[in-house]
Coordinates of all heavy atoms in Angstrom, one line a residue:
T1 N 0.8 -1.2 0.0 CA 0.0 0.0 0.0 C 0.8 1.2 0.0 O 0.6 2.2 -0.8 CB -0.9 0.0 1.2 OG1 -1.7 -1.2 1.2 CG2 -1.8 1.2 1.3
M2 N 1.9 1.3 0.8 CA 2.7 2.4 0.9 C 3.5 2.6 -0.4 O 3.8 3.8 -0.8 CB 3.7 2.3 2.1 CG 3.0 2.4 3.4 SD 2.1 3.9 3.7 CE 3.3 5.2 3.6
G3 N 3.9 1.5 -1.1 CA 4.6 1.6 -2.3 C 3.7 2.3 -3.5 O 4.3 2.8 -4.4
H4 N 2.4 2.2 -3.3 CA 1.5 2.7 -4.4 C 0.9 4.0 -4.0 O 0.0 4.5 -4.6 CB 0.4 1.7 -4.7 CG 0.9 0.5 -5.3 ND1 2.2 0.1 -5.4 CD2 0.3 -0.5 -6.1 CE1 2.4 -1.0 -6.0 NE2 1.2 -1.4 -6.5
A5 N 1.3 4.6 -2.8 CA 0.8 5.9 -2.4 C 1.2 7.0 -3.4 O 2.3 7.0 -3.9 CB 1.2 6.2 -1.0
V6 N 0.3 7.9 -3.6 CA 0.6 9.1 -4.4 C 1.6 9.9 -3.7 O 1.6 10.1 -2.5 CB -0.8 9.9 -4.6 CG1 -0.5 11.1 -5.4 CG2 -1.8 9.0 -5.3
A7 N 2.6 10.4 -4.6 CA 3.7 11.2 -4.0 C 3.1 12.4 -3.2 O 2.2 13.1 -3.7 CB 4.6 11.7 -5.2
G8 N 3.6 12.5 -2.0 CA 3.1 13.6 -1.1 C 2.0 13.2 -0.2 O 1.7 13.9 0.7
E9 N 1.4 12.0 -0.5 CA 0.3 11.6 0.4 C 0.7 10.4 1.2 O -0.2 9.6 1.7 CB -0.9 11.3 -0.4 CG -1.5 12.5 -1.1 CD -2.9 12.2 -1.7 OE1 -3.3 11.1 -1.7 OE2 -3.4 13.2 -2.3
E10 N 2.0 10.2 1.5 CA 2.4 9.0 2.2 C 1.9 9.1 3.7 O 1.6 8.0 4.2 CB 4.0 8.9 2.2 CG 4.6 8.6 0.8 CD 4.8 9.8 0.0 OE1 4.5 11.0 0.4 OE2 5.3 9.6 -1.1
R11 N 1.9 10.3 4.3 CA 1.4 10.4 5.6 C 0.0 10.0 5.8 O -0.4 9.4 6.7 CB 1.6 11.8 6.2 CG 3.0 12.1 6.5 CD 3.1 13.5 7.1 NE 4.4 13.7 7.7 CZ 4.8 14.9 8.1 NH1 4.1 16.0 8.0 NH2 6.0 15.0 8.7
I12 N -0.8 10.5 4.8 CA -2.3 10.2 4.8 C -2.5 8.7 4.7 O -3.3 8.1 5.4 CB -3.0 11.0 3.7 CG1 -2.9 12.5 4.0 CG2 -4.5 10.5 3.6 CD1 -3.4 13.3 2.8
T13 N -1.7 8.1 3.8 CA -1.9 6.6 3.6 C -1.5 5.9 4.8 O -2.2 4.9 5.2 CB -1.0 6.2 2.4 OG1 -1.4 7.0 1.2 CG2 -1.2 4.7 2.1
A14 N -0.4 6.2 5.4 CA 0.1 5.6 6.7 C -1.0 5.8 7.8 O -1.2 4.8 8.6 CB 1.4 6.1 7.1
A15 N -1.6 6.9 7.9 CA -2.6 7.2 8.9 C -3.9 6.3 8.7 O -4.6 6.0 9.6 CB -2.9 8.6 9.0
A16 N -4.1 6.0 7.4 CA -5.4 5.3 7.1 C -5.3 3.8 7.3 O -6.3 3.1 7.5 CB -5.8 5.6 5.6
L17 N -4.1 3.3 7.4 CA -3.9 1.8 7.5 C -4.5 1.2 8.7 O -5.2 0.2 8.6 CB -2.4 1.5 7.4 CG -1.8 1.7 6.0 CD1 -0.3 1.4 6.0 CD2 -2.5 0.8 5.0
P18 N -4.3 1.8 10.0 CA -5.0 1.2 11.1 C -6.5 1.2 11.0 O -7.2 0.3 11.5 CB -4.5 2.1 12.3 CG -3.3 2.7 11.8 CD -3.4 2.9 10.3
S19 N -7.1 2.3 10.4 CA -8.5 2.3 10.2 C -9.0 1.2 9.3 O -10.1 0.6 9.6 CB -8.9 3.7 9.6 OG -8.6 4.7 10.5
V20 N -8.3 0.9 8.2 CA -8.7 -0.1 7.3 C -8.6 -1.5 8.0 O -9.4 -2.3 7.9 CB -7.8 -0.1 6.1 CG1 -8.0 -1.3 5.2 CG2 -8.0 1.2 5.2
R21 N -7.6 -1.6 8.8 CA -7.5 -2.9 9.6 C -8.6 -3.0 10.6 O -9.2 -4.1 10.7 CB -6.2 -2.9 10.4 CG -5.9 -4.1 11.1 CD -4.6 -4.1 11.8 NE -4.3 -5.3 12.6 CZ -3.4 -5.6 13.4 NH1 -2.5 -4.6 13.6 NH2 -3.3 -6.7 14.0
A22 N -9.0 -1.9 11.3 CA -10.1 -2.0 12.2 C -11.4 -2.3 11.5 O -12.3 -3.1 12.0 CB -10.2 -0.7 13.0
I23 N -11.6 -1.8 10.3 CA -12.8 -2.1 9.5 C -12.9 -3.6 9.1 O -13.9 -4.2 9.2 CB -12.9 -1.2 8.3 CG1 -13.2 0.3 8.7 CG2 -14.0 -1.6 7.3 CD1 -13.1 1.3 7.6
G24 N -11.7 -4.1 8.8 CA -11.7 -5.5 8.5 C -12.0 -6.4 9.6 O -12.7 -7.4 9.5
T25 N -11.5 -6.0 10.8 CA -11.8 -6.7 12.0 C -13.3 -6.7 12.3 O -13.9 -7.7 12.7 CB -11.0 -6.2 13.2 OG1 -9.6 -6.3 12.9 CG2 -11.3 -7.0 14.5
A26 N -13.9 -5.5 12.2 CA -15.3 -5.3 12.4 C -16.2 -6.1 11.5 O -17.1 -6.8 11.9 CB -15.7 -3.8 12.3
F27 N -15.8 -6.2 10.2 CA -16.6 -7.0 9.3 C -16.4 -8.5 9.6 O -17.4 -9.2 9.5 CB -16.1 -6.7 7.8 CG -16.8 -5.5 7.2 CD1 -16.0 -4.4 6.9 CD2 -18.1 -5.6 6.9 CE1 -16.7 -3.3 6.3 CE2 -18.7 -4.5 6.3 CZ -18.0 -3.3 6.0
G28 N -15.2 -8.9 10.0 CA -15.0 -10.3 10.4 C -15.9 -10.7 11.6 O -16.5 -11.7 11.6
A29 N -15.9 -9.8 12.6 CA -16.7 -10.1 13.8 C -18.2 -10.1 13.4 O -19.0 -11.0 13.9 CB -16.4 -9.0 14.8
A30 N -18.6 -9.2 12.6 CA -20.0 -9.1 12.2 C -20.4 -10.4 11.4 O -21.5 -11.0 11.6 CB -20.3 -7.9 11.3
L31 N -19.5 -10.9 10.5 CA -19.8 -12.1 9.8 C -19.8 -13.3 10.7 O -20.7 -14.1 10.5 CB -18.7 -12.2 8.7 CG -18.8 -13.5 7.8 CD1 -20.1 -13.4 7.0 CD2 -17.6 -13.7 6.9
A32 N -18.9 -13.3 11.6 CA -19.0 -14.5 12.5 C -20.3 -14.5 13.4 O -20.9 -15.5 13.6 CB -17.7 -14.5 13.5
G33 N -20.7 -13.3 13.8 CA -22.0 -13.2 14.5 C -23.2 -13.6 13.7 O -24.1 -14.3 14.1
M34 N -23.2 -13.1 12.4 CA -24.3 -13.5 11.5 C -24.3 -14.9 11.2 O -25.4 -15.6 11.3 CB -24.1 -12.7 10.2 CG -25.3 -12.9 9.2 SD -25.0 -12.1 7.7 CE -23.6 -13.0 7.0
L35 N -23.2 -15.6 11.0 CA -23.1 -17.0 10.7 C -23.6 -17.8 12.0 O -24.3 -18.8 11.8 CB -21.7 -17.4 10.3 CG -21.3 -16.9 9.0 CD1 -19.8 -17.3 8.8 CD2 -22.1 -17.5 7.9
S36 N -23.2 -17.4 13.1 CA -23.6 -18.1 14.3 C -25.1 -18.0 14.6 O -25.8 -19.0 15.0 CB -22.8 -17.6 15.6 OG -23.1 -16.3 15.8
I37 N -25.7 -16.8 14.3 CA -27.1 -16.7 14.4 C -27.8 -17.6 13.4 O -28.8 -18.3 13.7 CB -27.5 -15.2 14.2 CG1 -27.0 -14.3 15.3 CG2 -29.1 -15.1 14.1 CD1 -27.5 -14.6 16.7
M38 N -27.3 -17.6 12.1 CA -27.9 -18.4 11.1 C -27.8 -19.9 11.4 O -28.7 -20.7 11.0 CB -27.3 -18.1 9.7 CG -27.7 -16.7 9.2 SD -26.7 -16.2 7.7 CE -27.0 -17.6 6.7
A39 N -26.7 -20.2 12.1 CA -26.5 -21.7 12.4 C -27.4 -22.1 13.6 O -27.3 -23.3 13.9 CB -25.1 -21.9 12.6
G40 N -28.0 -21.2 14.3 CA -28.9 -21.6 15.4 C -28.3 -21.4 16.7 O -28.7 -21.9 17.7
L41 N -27.2 -20.6 16.8 CA -26.5 -20.4 18.1 C -27.3 -19.4 19.0 O -27.0 -19.4 20.2 CB -25.1 -20.0 17.9 CG -24.1 -20.0 19.1 CD1 -24.1 -21.5 19.6 CD2 -22.7 -19.6 18.7
A42 N -28.1 -18.6 18.4 CA -28.8 -17.6 19.3 C -29.7 -18.2 20.3 O -29.8 -17.7 21.5 CB -29.7 -16.7 18.4
D43 N -30.4 -19.3 20.1 CA -31.3 -19.9 21.0 C -30.7 -21.2 21.7 O -31.4 -21.9 22.4 CB -32.6 -20.3 20.3 CG -33.3 -19.1 19.8 OD1 -33.2 -18.0 20.4 OD2 -33.9 -19.2 18.7
A44 N -29.4 -21.4 21.4 CA -28.8 -22.6 22.0 C -28.4 -22.5 23.4 O -27.7 -21.5 23.8 CB -27.6 -23.0 21.1
T45 N -28.9 -23.4 24.2 CA -28.5 -23.4 25.6 C -27.9 -24.7 26.0 O -27.3 -24.8 27.1 CB -29.7 -23.1 26.5 OG1 -30.7 -24.0 26.3 CG2 -30.2 -21.7 26.3
D46 N -28.0 -25.7 25.2 CA -27.4 -27.0 25.5 C -26.3 -27.3 24.6 O -26.3 -26.9 23.4 CB -28.5 -28.1 25.5 CG -29.1 -28.2 24.1 OD1 -29.5 -27.2 23.6 OD2 -29.2 -29.4 23.7
P47 N -25.3 -28.1 25.0 CA -24.1 -28.5 24.1 C -24.5 -29.1 22.8 O -23.8 -29.0 21.8 CB -23.3 -29.4 25.0 CG -23.7 -29.0 26.4 CD -25.1 -28.7 26.3
A48 N -25.6 -29.9 22.8 CA -26.0 -30.6 21.6 C -26.3 -29.6 20.4 O -26.2 -29.9 19.3 CB -27.2 -31.5 21.8
A49 N -26.9 -28.4 20.8 CA -27.2 -27.4 19.8 C -26.1 -26.5 19.4 O -26.0 -26.0 18.3 CB -28.4 -26.6 20.4
V50 N -25.1 -26.4 20.3 CA -24.0 -25.5 20.1 C -23.0 -26.2 19.1 O -22.4 -25.5 18.2 CB -23.2 -25.2 21.4 CG1 -22.0 -24.4 21.2 CG2 -24.2 -24.3 22.3
G51 N -22.8 -27.5 19.2 CA -21.9 -28.2 18.3 C -22.1 -28.0 16.8 O -21.1 -27.6 16.1
P52 N -23.3 -28.2 16.3 CA -23.5 -27.9 14.8 C -23.3 -26.4 14.5 O -22.7 -26.2 13.3 CB -24.9 -28.3 14.6 CG -25.2 -29.3 15.7 CD -24.4 -28.9 16.9
A53 N -23.6 -25.6 15.3 CA -23.4 -24.1 15.0 C -21.9 -23.8 14.9 O -21.5 -23.1 14.0 CB -24.1 -23.2 16.1
I54 N -21.1 -24.3 15.8 CA -19.7 -24.1 15.8 C -19.1 -24.7 14.5 O -18.2 -24.1 13.9 CB -19.0 -24.7 17.1 CG1 -19.4 -23.9 18.3 CG2 -17.5 -24.8 16.9 CD1 -19.0 -24.4 19.5
V55 N -19.6 -25.9 14.1 CA -19.0 -26.5 12.9 C -19.3 -25.6 11.7 O -18.5 -25.4 10.8 CB -19.6 -27.9 12.7 CG1 -19.3 -28.4 11.3 CG2 -19.1 -28.8 13.8
V56 N -20.5 -25.0 11.6 CA -20.9 -24.1 10.5 C -20.0 -22.9 10.5 O -19.5 -22.5 9.5 CB -22.4 -23.8 10.6 CG1 -22.7 -22.6 9.6 CG2 -23.2 -25.0 10.3
V57 N -19.9 -22.2 11.7 CA -19.1 -21.0 11.7 C -17.7 -21.2 11.4 O -17.1 -20.5 10.6 CB -19.2 -20.3 13.2 CG1 -18.3 -19.2 13.4 CG2 -20.7 -19.9 13.4
Y58 N -17.0 -22.2 12.0 CA -15.6 -22.5 11.7 C -15.5 -23.0 10.2 O -14.5 -22.6 9.5 CB -15.0 -23.5 12.6 CG -14.6 -22.9 13.9 CD1 -15.3 -23.2 15.1 CD2 -13.6 -22.0 14.0 CE1 -14.9 -22.7 16.3 CE2 -13.2 -21.4 15.2 CZ -13.9 -21.8 16.3 OH -13.5 -21.2 17.6
G59 N -16.4 -23.7 9.7 CA -16.3 -24.2 8.3 C -16.4 -23.1 7.3 O -15.5 -23.0 6.4
I60 N -17.3 -22.2 7.5 CA -17.4 -21.0 6.6 C -16.2 -20.1 6.7 O -15.7 -19.5 5.8 CB -18.7 -20.3 6.8 CG1 -19.9 -21.3 6.3 CG2 -18.8 -19.0 6.0 CD1 -21.3 -20.7 6.5
N61 N -15.7 -19.9 8.0 CA -14.5 -19.1 8.2 C -13.2 -19.7 7.6 O -12.2 -19.0 7.5 CB -14.4 -18.7 9.6 CG -15.4 -17.7 10.1 OD1 -15.7 -16.8 9.3 ND2 -15.9 -17.8 11.3
M62 N -13.2 -21.0 7.3 CA -12.1 -21.6 6.7 C -11.9 -21.2 5.2 O -10.9 -21.4 4.7 CB -12.1 -23.1 6.9 CG -11.8 -23.6 8.3 SD -10.2 -23.0 8.9 CE -9.1 -23.9 7.8
V63 N -13.0 -20.8 4.6 CA -13.0 -20.5 3.2 C -11.9 -19.4 2.9 O -11.1 -19.6 2.0 CB -14.4 -20.1 2.6 CG1 -14.3 -19.5 1.2 CG2 -15.3 -21.2 2.7
P64 N -11.9 -18.3 3.6 CA -10.8 -17.3 3.3 C -9.4 -17.8 3.6 O -8.5 -17.5 2.9 CB -11.2 -16.1 4.2 CG -12.5 -16.3 4.7 CD -12.8 -17.8 4.6
V65 N -9.3 -18.6 4.6 CA -8.0 -19.2 4.9 C -7.5 -20.1 3.8 O -6.3 -20.0 3.3 CB -8.0 -20.0 6.3 CG1 -6.7 -20.7 6.5 CG2 -8.4 -19.0 7.4
L66 N -8.4 -20.9 3.3 CA -8.0 -21.8 2.2 C -7.7 -21.0 0.9 O -6.8 -21.4 0.2 CB -9.1 -22.9 2.0 CG -9.3 -23.9 3.2 CD1 -10.5 -24.7 2.8 CD2 -8.1 -24.7 3.4
L67 N -8.5 -20.0 0.7 CA -8.2 -19.1 -0.4 C -6.8 -18.4 -0.3 O -6.1 -18.4 -1.3 CB -9.3 -18.1 -0.6 CG -9.2 -17.1 -1.8 CD1 -9.2 -17.9 -3.1 CD2 -10.3 -16.1 -1.7
A68 N -6.5 -17.9 0.9 CA -5.2 -17.3 1.1 C -4.1 -18.3 0.9 O -3.1 -17.9 0.3 CB -5.2 -16.7 2.5
V69 N -4.2 -19.5 1.4 CA -3.2 -20.5 1.2 C -3.0 -20.8 -0.3 O -1.9 -20.9 -0.8 CB -3.5 -21.8 2.0 CG1 -2.6 -22.9 1.6 CG2 -3.4 -21.5 3.5
A70 N -4.1 -21.0 -1.0 CA -4.0 -21.3 -2.5 C -3.3 -20.1 -3.2 O -2.5 -20.4 -4.0 CB -5.4 -21.5 -3.0
L71 N -3.7 -18.9 -2.9 CA -3.1 -17.8 -3.5 C -1.6 -17.7 -3.2 O -0.8 -17.3 -4.0 CB -3.8 -16.5 -3.1 CG -5.2 -16.2 -3.8 CD1 -5.8 -15.1 -3.3 CD2 -5.0 -16.1 -5.3
M72 N -1.3 -17.9 -1.9 CA 0.1 -17.9 -1.5 C 1.0 -18.9 -2.3 O 2.0 -18.6 -2.8 CB 0.3 -18.2 0.0 CG 1.7 -18.2 0.5 SD 1.9 -18.9 2.1 CE 1.5 -20.6 1.8
I73 N 0.4 -20.1 -2.4 CA 1.1 -21.2 -3.2 C 1.3 -20.8 -4.7 O 2.3 -20.9 -5.3 CB 0.4 -22.5 -3.1 CG1 0.6 -23.1 -1.6 CG2 1.0 -23.5 -4.1 CD1 -0.3 -24.3 -1.3
W74 N 0.2 -20.2 -5.2 CA 0.2 -19.8 -6.6 C 1.2 -18.6 -6.8 O 1.9 -18.6 -7.8 CB -1.2 -19.4 -7.0 CG -1.3 -19.0 -8.5 CD1 -1.0 -19.8 -9.6 CD2 -1.8 -17.8 -9.0 NE1 -1.2 -19.0 -10.7 CE2 -1.7 -17.8 -10.4 CE3 -2.3 -16.6 -8.4 CZ2 -2.1 -16.8 -11.1 CZ3 -2.6 -15.6 -9.2 CH2 -2.6 -15.6 -10.5
L75 N 1.2 -17.6 -5.9 CA 2.0 -16.5 -6.1 C 3.5 -16.6 -5.8 O 4.4 -15.9 -6.2 CB 1.4 -15.3 -5.4 CG 0.1 -14.8 -5.9 CD1 -0.5 -13.8 -4.9 CD2 0.2 -14.2 -7.3
V76 N 3.8 -17.5 -4.8 CA 5.1 -17.7 -4.3 C 5.8 -18.9 -4.9 O 6.8 -19.3 -4.4 CB 5.1 -17.7 -2.8 CG1 6.5 -17.7 -2.2 CG2 4.3 -16.5 -2.3
R77 N 5.3 -19.5 -5.9 CA 5.9 -20.7 -6.4 C 7.3 -20.3 -7.1 O 7.4 -19.2 -7.6 CB 5.0 -21.4 -7.4 CG 4.7 -20.6 -8.7 CD 3.9 -21.4 -9.6 NE 3.6 -20.6 -10.8 CZ 2.5 -20.0 -11.1 NH1 1.5 -20.2 -10.3 NH2 2.3 -19.3 -12.2
P78 N 8.2 -21.2 -7.0 CA 9.6 -20.9 -7.6 C 9.5 -20.7 -9.1 O 8.7 -21.4 -9.8 CB 10.5 -22.0 -7.2 CG 9.5 -23.1 -6.8 CD 8.2 -22.5 -6.4
A79 N 10.4 -19.9 -9.6 CA 10.4 -19.7 -11.1 C 11.0 -20.9 -11.7 O 11.9 -21.5 -11.2 CB 11.3 -18.5 -11.4
R80 N 10.4 -21.3 -12.8 CA 10.8 -22.5 -13.5 C 11.9 -22.1 -14.5 O 11.8 -21.1 -15.2 CB 9.6 -23.1 -14.3 CG 8.6 -23.6 -13.3 CD 7.5 -24.3 -14.0 NE 6.5 -24.7 -12.9 CZ 5.3 -24.9 -13.1 NH1 4.8 -24.9 -14.3 NH2 4.5 -25.3 -12.1
A81 N 12.9 -22.9 -14.6 CA 14.1 -22.6 -15.4 C 13.8 -23.0 -16.8 O 13.1 -23.8 -17.2 CB 15.3 -23.4 -14.9

């Protein structure tokens, strides 16, 4: 991000980075909350109801992780001679 900042606006770009990170964290928390509600965790009071909800939340949250790993492997592969 800093490498692509417009000349003279490096300070503004650097100041905006923590805000962008905080927005990402907020969206992640909101998504996890929404998924847990959709999975039925809102009314769950017994462990039998909590288990499936946890599987759904963690399963869906693994999608970005797997995508990041796939992109890392694709982008960081060694150059072929």
